[in-house]
């Protein structure tokens, strides 16, 4: 039975549950259960604090987990990323009172408030900067006003909260994070984990792509196929009219209308778009 940990609350939890459900796993809890066993899929889901997932995976009590890349790195354990999952994107940055700092080197000798001690220490060491780390479990934006820090290192989304506190970001991003599937080297070759990974990848592709079908004349086939190359090659089928063929290919969802316009311009007709629920590539 594959033991998989997912966040027990928050945005990462909701998105992870949604992706696993789309991948065919049982995810619905009757109440506040700490685990769910899916006998058919040979998987048990454990709902853990996001910060504890990398630690549990590293300890071997859990085979794999879904957590944030920032939390994985900050845990400083023997777990590694298998696949980015395309949700929970965030940017981790330094911020300070407006106009007070412009580069990471301005942090030398300063106090930095953060909830991600190891991640920040590692980044500072990589850039040869010595500074003091002030650990806070939350509300780091207020630490400067309270006089406990000179700068902060935190997740930045819109920057609205920082501006309200009179702060601004500076320097390059420390880290670009998102939800990731993790495990340990000892379990990397587990066939059950490979199945999970393929299922999640199939859901990701289905969310990013649609299936496009169209008819086109043989004279225009090569040009049309360049517009819709698909993942490996478009599928081409003969029609009753031997001068025409039917073409099927995966197309990026965000480009679908542009692709339809380009196909129509080269002579393609009967252009249809179909949602993809999941796939294996």
């Amino acid at each position: 039975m594959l033991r998989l940990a997912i966040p027990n609350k928050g945005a990462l939890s909701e998105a992870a549950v949604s992706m696993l459900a789309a991948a065919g796993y049982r995810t619905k809890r009757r109440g506040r259960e700490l685990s769910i066993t899916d006998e058919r899929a040979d998987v048990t889901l454990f709902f853990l604090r996001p910060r504890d997932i990398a630690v549990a995976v590293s300890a071997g009590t859990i085979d794999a987990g879904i957590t944030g890349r920032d939390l994985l790195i900050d845990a400083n354990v023997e777990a590694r990323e298998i696949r980015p999952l395309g949700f929970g994107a965030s940017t981790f940055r330094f911020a300070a009172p407006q106009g007070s700092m412009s580069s990471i080197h301005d942090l030398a000798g300063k106090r930095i408030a953060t909830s991600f001690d190891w991640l920040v220490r590692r980044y500072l060491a990589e850039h040869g900067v010595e500074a003091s780390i002030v650990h806070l479990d939350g509300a780091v934006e207020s630490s400067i006003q309270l006089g406990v820090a000179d700068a902060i290192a935190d997740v930045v989304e819109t920057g609205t909260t920082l501006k309200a506190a009179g702060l601004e970001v500076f320097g390059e991003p420390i880290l670009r994070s998102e939800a990731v599937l993790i495990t340990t080297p000892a379990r990397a070759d587990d066939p059950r984990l490979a199945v999970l990974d393929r299922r999640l990848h199939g859901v990701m592709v289905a969310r990013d792509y649609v299936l496009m079908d169209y008819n086109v004349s043989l004279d225009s086939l090569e040009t049309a196929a360049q517009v819709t190359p698909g993942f490996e090659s478009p599928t081409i089928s003969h029609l009753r009219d031997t001068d025409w063929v039917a073409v099927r290919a995966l197309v990026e969802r965000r480009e679908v209308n542009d692709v339809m316009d380009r196909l129509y311009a080269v002579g393609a007709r009967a252009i249809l778009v179909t949602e993809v629920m999941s796939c294996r590539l």
Side-chain angles (χ1 to χ4, degrees):
M1 183 81 60
L2 183 74
R3 295 165 296 178
L4 175 67
I6 63 175
N8 62 349
K9 60 182 179 179
L12 283 183
S13 176
E14 295 172 7
V17 167
S18 175
M19 176 171 274
L20 288 167
Y25 294 101
R26 180 187 164 217
T27 59
K28 190 172 182 179
R29 291 190 283 180
R30 297 184 181 88
R32 299 182 63 84
E33 299 159 290
L34 299 179
S35 65
I36 297 176
T37 297
D38 187 337
E39 297 286 355
R40 179 179 51 81
D42 199 28
V43 170
T44 296
L45 301 181
F46 292 87
F47 295 85
L48 304 181
R49 290 178 64 247
R51 278 191 171 274
D52 294 340
I53 291 175
V55 175
V57 170
S58 177
T61 55
I62 295 293
D63 300 314
I66 293 176
T67 188
R69 181 180 293 127
D70 51 354
L71 296 172
L72 168 62
I73 294 173
D74 195 58
N76 188 28
V77 293
E78 293 297 321
R80 65 181 181 86
E81 178 178 329
I82 301 174
R83 180 183 297 281
L85 298 176
F87 64 86
S90 62
T91 304
F92 202 76
R93 304 196 66 164
F94 290 114
Q98 294 179 3
S100 64
M101 299 185 187
S102 60
S103 78
I104 185 176
H105 299 290
D106 293 330
L107 291 167
K110 303 297 185 180
R111 301 165 299 167
I112 306 170
T114 185
S115 301
F116 296 79
D117 304 24
W118 172 256
L119 191 159
V120 175
R121 284 196 178 95
R122 188 187 76 163
Y123 188 83
L124 291 173
E126 289 173 350
H127 290 78
V129 175
E130 293 187 9
S132 299
I133 302 298
V134 178
H135 176 80
L136 295 176
D137 287 326
V140 295
E141 297 89 352
S142 61
S143 62
I144 298 175
Q145 185 178 3
L146 292 172
V148 299
D150 304 300
I152 68 170
D154 200 13
V155 172
V156 177
E157 295 180 355
T158 64
T160 302
T161 304
L162 292 179
K163 290 180 181 178
L167 307 178
E168 65 180 0
V169 298
F170 65 91
E172 295 297 317
I174 302 169
L175 176 72
R176 297 189 188 281
S177 183
E178 65 179 294
V180 293
L181 178 65
I182 67 171
T183 191
T184 59
R187 288 173 167 75
D189 296 327
D190 189 324
R192 298 168 303 178
L193 183 57
V195 171
L196 169 66
D197 184 41
R198 283 195 299 270
R199 286 193 179 194
L200 294 179
H201 181 239
V203 172
M204 292 175 66
V205 172
R207 289 177 174 178
D208 291 340
Y209 287 81
V210 294
L211 193 62
M212 186 171 289
D213 291 274
Y214 60 89
N215 297 341
V216 68
S217 68
L218 288 172
D219 291 340
S220 301
L221 175 59
E222 186 59 34
T223 302
Q226 291 176 9
V227 177
T228 58
F231 261 79
E232 296 174 350
S233 176
T235 300
I236 300 172
S237 305
H238 291 289
L239 297 176
R240 183 175 182 181
D241 184 337
T242 56
D243 292 331
W244 284 68
V245 292
V247 181
R248 168 172 285 185
L250 285 171
V251 173
E252 284 194 67
R253 184 182 299 271
R254 62 184 180 182
E255 298 180 357
V256 64
N257 285 295
D258 178 60
V259 169
M260 292 175 76
D261 292 339
R262 292 167 63 192
L263 286 174
Y264 195 89
V266 300
R269 296 295 183 266
I271 307 170
L272 305 175
V273 175
T274 306
E275 293 279 354
V276 179
M277 291 185 62
S278 189
C279 63
R280 301 290 184 275
L281 300 175

